[in-house]
Amino acid sequence: MDRPRAVDGRAPDVFDPAGGHVPMRMYPETEEVDFAIVGTGAGGGTLAARLSELGFSVVAFDAGPYFRPLEDFASDETEQNKLYWLDHRVCDGENPIKMGGNNSGKAVGGSTVHFAMVSLRFRPEWFRSRSALGYGVDWPIDWRDMWRYYAQAERAIGVSGPVTYPWGPHRPRYPYRAHEMNSAAKLLARGCEALGYRWTETPLATVSAPRGKSPPCVYRGFCRFGCSTNAKQSALIVWIPRALKAGAEIRDLAMVGRIETDAAGRATGVHYHRSGTWRFQRARNVVVAGYAVETPRLLLNSANARFPDGLANSSGLVGRNLMTQSNQAAWGRMDDEVRWYKGPPSLAITEHWNYEDRGKDFHGGYCWMAQGPLPIEWVSVQTGARGLWGERLRREMMDYNHQIGVKMVGEMLPDEANRVTLADEVDQYGLRVARITYRWGDNDKRLIQHALRQMMMSLEAIGATNRFVQEDDTNHLAGTARMGFDRDSSVVNADCRSWDIPNLWVCDGSVFPTVGGVNPALTIQTIAMRTADRIKTLAQRGEL
């Protein structure tokens, strides 16, 4: 798709399979809108909706296309590569991060268009991990404040989950009942029970009953490659329609390359490339929500004479403290057919080692979930983790319906040496590309080995044979523009507002001081909802 769809006062109707449209307000580039938001995923999409609903004028930009899921998405793994940010990046360090489908998206709706929908709350102690648990850094937000917004976010995206969640403080029932567990989930439950660990159905942002124009999940298994039925409650079908209805403009295929600042050191708007030319949109406030790689890249590429080290970077921390999450797995074979591809890929979970601090030789925590990789994904596991090719690979793939596996999401610790900088190479827009440097710390390695042993024990307990581990995999990203208590040790404050430039904000996973041992999407949306309310309060006080 090479032409914008959100033009001429209308935007794609994501619920219409016939190519329909909905009205969209248009703002002249010469008009100083209240907020220019860069990115429309879990952070930017949520914020665009909430700020518009609060009465602010908003233009939201996304470098990717504006898809209609019912028309554009196919049950084909290769076809759906169009959802990922596959532009050139330089990855180095002792443990280079594999970029692409598992940690970045390039579409209106961002990574939520293809995320696995796992919607988990942080353990309360993680918001003060230094004070309570002795590692990492504390967040400048109280967990009780986050807990209140978590409940709002779960209602907004219609999370389907268990009646009672077995870990952490009491929480209200999820808006929708939990999904039926497939065979892979039931086998995870058996393994956990054999080890004496609690388990539960995974809270998922895909509906188990009709919701508005969204039908219930049909368990087709292509969740991580774009839901073609709209059961998945992505930003594309939840927050973006709300933003449009409230008067926001969405500009698709609009790559923001630089933020402009004036002589007083305030942001004045964004330079963006759309339809073959560079343009400029004036704005009273700029919000960067491009995630943990593109956010620091934009801030660094916006360097000027007044801010020679990039915007919001007086602390020198823009791009630093990049965190990923460990995503190792244990796999095996069952005598009976499993057919693990039926349904969302992670229908059951244990958070035992997120909440249990005894018996650990590492800081932090991890969960593990049932798995259901589709065939091409499974081939990549076989070739990468086991080195299988040719006839051996063909024979192994014949056993696809008997396979079983569990996969972790583990907390990796912040380290200033893990960072995003600018490479000398430039992209198709003439912008310097991101250089992503990463290495696992000793604590990260101990956590991973502990998890691999535990997951292998769970498979052994259910009688899985031909067991093996996948040792080198990571997924979600965070950090690089952390929030904090003061300007010397962070990039933004608790409201996601830059210490250096008062009308420049960052609202995505890059503000995380620590990453926790659960998928980050719900927390990003929760922070965005909180930030919108804080902006409303600041505006009422005359402090914007």
Side-chain angles (χ1 to χ4, degrees):
M1 190 182 303
D2 57 1
R3 293 184 179 179
R5 282 178 165 176
V7 293
D8 300 328
R10 63 183 194 170
D13 183 349
V14 295
F15 295 102
D16 186 351
H21 294 82
V22 295
M24 180 180 70
R25 180 169 179 176
M26 302 281 287
Y27 292 93
E29 292 175 336
T30 54
E31 180 177 340
E32 190 179 46
V33 296
D34 292 326
F35 286 89
I37 300 177
V38 184
T40 61
T46 305
L47 196 61
R50 292 296 296 123
L51 290 177
S52 299
E53 290 169 344
L54 291 171
F56 295 101
S57 56
V58 172
V59 176
F61 301 81
D62 203 289
Y66 203 137
F67 290 113
R68 294 186 181 92
L70 303 179
E71 175 187 357
D72 296 322
F73 293 170
S75 296
D76 183 301
E77 294 176 69
T78 302
E79 163 65 16
Q80 293 305 101
N81 285 336
K82 64 190 179 186
L83 300 178
Y84 309 143
W85 193 295
L86 300 177
D87 294 19
H88 176 57
R89 284 140 165 185
V90 177
C91 298
D92 60 16
E94 291 181 27
N95 304 99
I97 297 174
K98 181 181 178 181
M99 299 299 296
N102 65 345
N103 54 25
S104 57
K106 192 175 185 181
V108 173
S111 300
T112 69
V113 177
H114 62 81
F115 78 145
M117 307 164 302
V118 176
S119 300
L120 302 171
R121 299 185 181 194
F122 266 38
R123 176 184 173 183
E125 289 83 356
W126 288 343
F127 292 105
R128 51 189 185 95
S129 62
R130 171 57 60 184
S131 301
L133 301 171
Y135 73 92
V137 292
D138 289 349
W139 290 55
I141 303 176
D142 186 82
W143 75 269
R144 285 159 293 212
D145 198 16
M146 287 293 290
W147 224 249
R148 179 165 61 91
Y149 281 101
Y150 272 134
Q152 293 182 27
E154 288 161 353
R155 290 193 299 271
I157 61 175
V159 174
S160 300
V163 173
T164 302
Y165 199 74
W167 301 280
H170 173 76
R171 63 189 72 182
R173 286 188 62 172
Y174 288 99
Y176 287 79
R177 65 163 176 82
H179 290 277
E180 295 294 326
M181 297 203 306
N182 61 7
S183 295
K186 293 174 182 177
L187 288 167
L188 177 142
R190 279 176 47 193
C192 287
E193 289 171 358
L195 298 180
Y197 301 159
R198 289 177 293 177
W199 62 272
T200 192
E201 301 97 335
T202 309
L204 297 173
T206 184
V207 288
S208 56
R211 182 184 195 230
K213 295 181 179 180
S214 290
C217 179
V218 296
Y219 307 118
R220 52 189 284 280
F222 271 82
C223 312
R224 286 193 54 250
F225 298 90
C227 176
S228 64
T229 69
N230 276 338
K232 175 188 287 191
Q233 302 298 285
S234 68
L236 177 62
I237 73 156
V238 174
W239 297 113
I240 298 303
R242 284 178 56 171
L244 292 170
K245 186 176 181 180
E249 179 183 353
I250 307 297
R251 293 185 189 162
D252 55 328
L253 294 176
M255 176 66 183
V256 176
R258 186 164 62 88
I259 301 166
E260 188 68 43
T261 60
D262 62 16
R266 293 179 64 89
T268 58
V270 297
H271 297 270
Y272 69 102
H273 192 276
R274 195 183 198 206
S275 299
T277 188
W278 283 100
R279 305 169 183 271
F280 181 73
Q281 174 64 55
R282 298 179 64 215
R284 296 183 184 89
N285 296 271
V286 174
V287 181
V288 185
Y291 207 26
V293 173
E294 290 304 308
T295 285
R297 180 191 177 205
L298 175 58
L299 294 174
L300 295 172
N301 266 323
S302 298
N304 55 39
R306 185 183 180 95
F307 301 107
D309 298 320
L311 304 188
N313 200 23
S314 63
S315 64
L317 293 176
V318 169
R320 293 188 179 272
N321 294 299
L322 173 66
M323 294 168 285
T324 186
Q325 289 180 312
S326 43
N327 197 213
Q328 283 69 19
W331 309 100
R333 182 191 187 280
M334 302 300 293
D335 290 337
D336 295 332
E337 282 194 344
V338 177
R339 294 189 179 271
W340 57 0
Y341 58 87
K342 290 182 176 289
S346 302
L347 284 166
I349 184 173
T350 178
E351 280 204 66
H352 175 82
W353 289 106
N354 272 335
Y355 284 84
E356 177 58 69
D357 295 318
R358 297 169 298 178
K360 291 179 177 178
D361 63 347
F362 58 88
H363 292 299
Y366 63 87
C367 62
W368 76 70
M369 286 168 267
Q371 290 298 292
L374 294 175
I376 294 178
E377 283 186 282
W378 185 235
V379 166
S380 69
V381 172
Q382 296 293 333
T383 57
R386 302 180 74 187
L388 299 187
W389 296 91
E391 180 60 23
R392 290 181 64 204
L393 176 61
R394 190 194 70 81
R395 289 198 306 267
E396 193 67 30
M397 290 302 296
M398 294 296 290
D399 252 358
Y400 175 75
N401 286 332
H402 290 264
Q403 303 295 337
I404 187 65
V406 292
K407 205 164 195 182
M408 68 182 293
V409 173
E411 181 171 9
M412 301 184 87
L413 301 191
D415 181 340
E416 287 192 15
N418 292 330
R419 62 185 303 196
V420 175
T421 54
L422 297 179
D424 292 332
E425 295 96 319
V426 297
D427 65 7
Q428 65 269 37
Y429 306 104
L431 303 169
R432 292 176 66 184
V433 304
R435 177 183 295 276
I436 305 162
T437 302
Y438 207 86
R439 67 173 177 85
W440 300 352
D442 291 339
N443 188 83
D444 303 330
K445 296 174 184 177
R446 290 195 297 270
L447 180 148
I448 289 167
Q449 290 305 312
H450 186 278
L452 288 172
R453 290 192 298 270
Q454 292 287 313
M455 292 189 293
M456 285 290 277
M457 286 167 55
S458 76
L459 294 186
E460 182 179 10
I462 61 174
T465 59
N466 299 335
R467 298 182 302 275
F468 69 96
V469 297
Q470 181 183 1
E471 295 195 57
D472 186 12
D473 200 12
T474 57
N475 53 3
H476 316 108
L477 303 174
T480 66
R482 69 156 54 153
M483 63 167 62
F485 297 92
D486 60 71
R487 64 188 315 122
D488 295 328
S489 60
S490 58
V491 176
V492 298
N493 65 15
D495 298 334
C496 294
R497 189 178 198 174
S498 161
W499 296 106
D500 299 349
I501 302 173
N503 66 336
L504 176 64
W505 313 71
V506 178
C507 191
D508 57 25
S510 65
V511 304
F512 284 27
T514 56
V515 74
V518 297
N519 306 53
L522 182 66
T523 300
I524 296 172
Q525 292 171 86
T526 298
I527 288 171
M529 295 180 75
R530 180 185 183 276
T531 297
D533 282 355
R534 292 294 302 142
I535 287 172
K536 174 185 176 183
T537 299
L538 292 168
Q540 290 171 339
R541 295 175 182 171
E543 297 177 9
L544 278 191

